[in-house]
Amino acid sequence: MASMLPTWAARTIACSACRTIASPSTIGSASLLPRRGVSTSTEQTPVDYADKPRWSYTPPRAKAPFSLRLNTKRREYPVNADPKVLDEFYIRLLGNDGDKLLSDEIKWLAVTHKSFDQGRRGFNDRLAFLGRRIVELQASLAMVQSPGSAASAAPPDAFDRTPFTHPALDGLENLNRRKNLLTGKSRLAEVAQKYELEKVLRWNPRKPNNLASSGIELVLAHTMYAIVGAIALEKGGLVANKVTRERILPPLGFKA
């Protein structure tokens, strides 16, 4: 009679028998089989970062378990980690009490390039974007307000026409002739070197033995813009404009 059962009924009976055999005791014995273990020899004791400032360490979750640069011979580029050295730079740049103008986190962020620690501690690109607009605006206003620096005679007209002139328009020629020259990265990098910015700059050059080919001029100029942007972010545009007019434009050749 069992041979007359349909095929689906036979399969159901077989599955029920399998469930009966797989009792809890059987499952418990199966757990005794060897399993692939996970080594914990490389695990480190958790570190409490609550009392450490954000600029001083790399976020643990941003670290890879191993480096992709195997057997690299490239030495680590030394950067400043002393807050006193950073404060001395801000005093040179901003004058007395310049180290108290910004918060500690922003002071370190403004001098941190995206190449440092692979950008895992934050970097100053957005601050530099804001600061560059402020510096260019103040440079344009200074050029327009100094007409004597680029005064030139108008060429003679073939029809004896007299071009329109006005004292407020005499400085417009300066915007095309001298602005890009005075606010270029080379000139701004010279100002940064005057204030010894390279002592506190946090970056990782492509060629540690040749900083010029690694783009040190561009990084210095970029960082100067970032400092102005940081001041505008925390103290407002009026303070940032004043710092630009008094501490950055005069060394570039602009008249106060």
Side-chain angles (χ1 to χ4, degrees):
M1 181 157 183
S3 60
M4 299 181 64
L5 291 175
T7 305
W8 62 269
R11 291 178 180 177
T12 303
I13 295 173
C15 291
S16 300
C18 293
R19 294 193 190 98
T20 305
I21 295 174
S23 61
S25 59
T26 308
I27 297 176
S29 61
S31 62
L32 300 177
L33 295 176
R35 296 180 179 180
R36 180 179 298 177
V38 179
S39 176
T40 58
S41 59
T42 58
E43 294 183 358
Q44 300 179 357
T45 304
V47 181
D48 185 14
Y49 295 99
D51 297 333
K52 290 187 176 182
R54 174 66 179 81
W55 57 265
S56 62
Y57 68 93
T58 303
R61 294 187 178 183
K63 295 180 180 179
F66 56 89
S67 176
L68 296 179
R69 295 180 177 179
L70 302 178
N71 301 326
T72 178
K73 297 181 180 180
R74 179 178 179 179
R75 64 182 180 86
E76 185 177 356
Y77 187 76
V79 296
N80 174 57
D82 188 358
K84 294 182 179 180
V85 177
L86 183 67
D87 291 341
E88 292 174 356
F89 161 73
Y90 278 103
I91 292 175
R92 289 193 300 269
L93 175 61
L94 305 176
N96 295 331
D97 295 332
D99 56 326
K100 302 177 182 179
L101 188 63
L102 299 173
S103 61
D104 291 341
E105 188 65 30
I106 295 298
K107 285 192 296 185
W108 285 101
L109 184 64
V111 298
T112 303
H113 189 255
K114 60 184 176 182
S115 62
F116 174 71
D117 198 17
Q118 301 179 4
R120 295 179 293 186
R121 304 190 198 183
F123 46 90
N124 57 9
D125 277 8
R126 294 184 180 182
L127 296 177
F129 179 85
L130 175 60
R132 180 170 185 173
R133 272 58 192 173
I134 295 174
V135 172
E136 290 181 348
L137 173 61
Q138 294 303 316
S140 299
L141 294 176
M143 297 294 285
V144 171
Q145 295 171 2
S146 58
S149 59
S152 59
D157 186 75
F159 301 97
D160 294 332
R161 293 174 296 184
T162 303
F164 175 78
T165 59
H166 191 275
L169 302 177
D170 292 343
L172 292 180
E173 291 294 332
N174 297 337
L175 297 179
N176 298 327
R177 296 186 178 185
R178 299 185 59 197
K179 177 187 173 184
N180 294 333
L181 177 63
L182 294 178
T183 59
K185 65 177 182 180
S186 299
R187 295 295 304 274
L188 199 57
E190 293 177 0
V191 176
Q193 292 174 352
K194 173 185 175 182
Y195 293 118
E196 300 179 357
L197 173 59
E198 64 275 7
K199 291 184 177 180
V200 298
L201 179 63
R202 301 204 300 177
W203 72 309
N204 188 14
R206 183 170 57 91
K207 297 180 180 179
N209 297 326
N210 191 348
L211 298 182
S213 63
S214 298
I216 182 65
E217 286 188 351
L218 181 61
V219 175
L220 288 174
H222 184 84
T223 306
M224 290 295 291
Y225 289 137
I227 294 174
V228 177
I231 296 173
L233 178 66
E234 290 206 333
K235 297 300 179 180
L238 294 178
V239 179
N241 292 338
K242 182 179 179 181
V243 170
T244 303
R245 291 192 302 264
E246 296 180 358
R247 311 298 296 183
I248 296 180
L249 295 186
L252 289 175
F254 292 86
K255 295 182 180 180

